[in-house]
Amino acid sequence: MLYAPDCVPDSDFARQLQRFESMQQERRSSRGLARSICLFPPGKITHLVKTGQSKKCLHGCVGCITCGASNAGSEYTPIQKENDDFNEIEISPTLWTDHFPNRVCNELERIAERFGIDTTLGSPPDG
């Protein structure tokens, strides 16, 4: 990224990178058709789609340095998705924080409450 592809100076790193890329290409070639097998997450998938923003951040700031790329305060809507809808990974600035277990748990509890589901621990199941 620092140099045009045809202007990369010779260095230990450049040689190691070239060897690595060559080994990876050999591995890809040796796998043949096996590398085109599609893998998808199993089971039914409920995807949480960001549909709004209830507040700016945890601290009420517009561009909070503390929260960084966090999008705390976002509102989500659950939608059913097919397994093959997840055939690639999209990288976003909030990918990491969006998938923290505590964030996912909190969002699922908020959504459950919107649907009238009791999320308190030890609540008796509806019978």
Side-chain angles (χ1 to χ4, degrees):
M1 289 199 300
L2 297 175
Y3 300 97
D6 56 339
C7 297
V8 176
D10 187 42
S11 67
D12 286 339
F13 176 76
R15 288 188 295 276
Q16 290 172 357
L17 179 60
Q18 187 176 22
R19 278 195 306 271
F20 172 76
E21 289 173 344
S22 175
M23 288 187 318
Q24 290 298 91
Q25 184 59 41
E26 288 174 25
R27 289 177 180 165
R28 282 188 212 105
S29 297
S30 70
R31 283 187 234 140
L33 294 176
R35 67 182 279 248
S36 64
I37 296 172
C38 296
L39 301 175
F40 303 108
K44 295 185 181 213
I45 297 176
T46 301
H47 183 62
L48 302 180
V49 178
K50 198 176 305 181
T51 54
Q53 188 79 17
S54 62
K55 58 185 173 184
K56 297 172 181 133
C57 81
L58 291 173
H59 305 100
C61 304
V62 174
C64 187
I65 295 171
T66 306
C67 296
S70 173
N71 59 356
S74 294
E75 294 174 354
Y76 297 88
T77 300
I79 60 170
Q80 286 294 132
K81 297 294 278 184
E82 296 298 321
N83 298 47
D84 60 356
D85 288 336
F86 295 92
N87 60 354
E88 63 184 15
I89 297 172
E90 293 181 20
I91 306 299
S92 73
T94 59
L95 173 96
W96 185 249
T97 56
D98 284 346
H99 295 89
F100 277 171
N102 62 326
R103 290 280 313 274
V104 173
C105 182
N106 289 340
E107 291 306 323
L108 290 174
E109 286 177 348
R110 282 189 203 123
I111 290 168
E113 288 169 1
R114 284 196 333 230
F115 283 91
I117 300 169
D118 184 8
T119 61
T120 57
L121 287 174
S123 59
D126 289 44

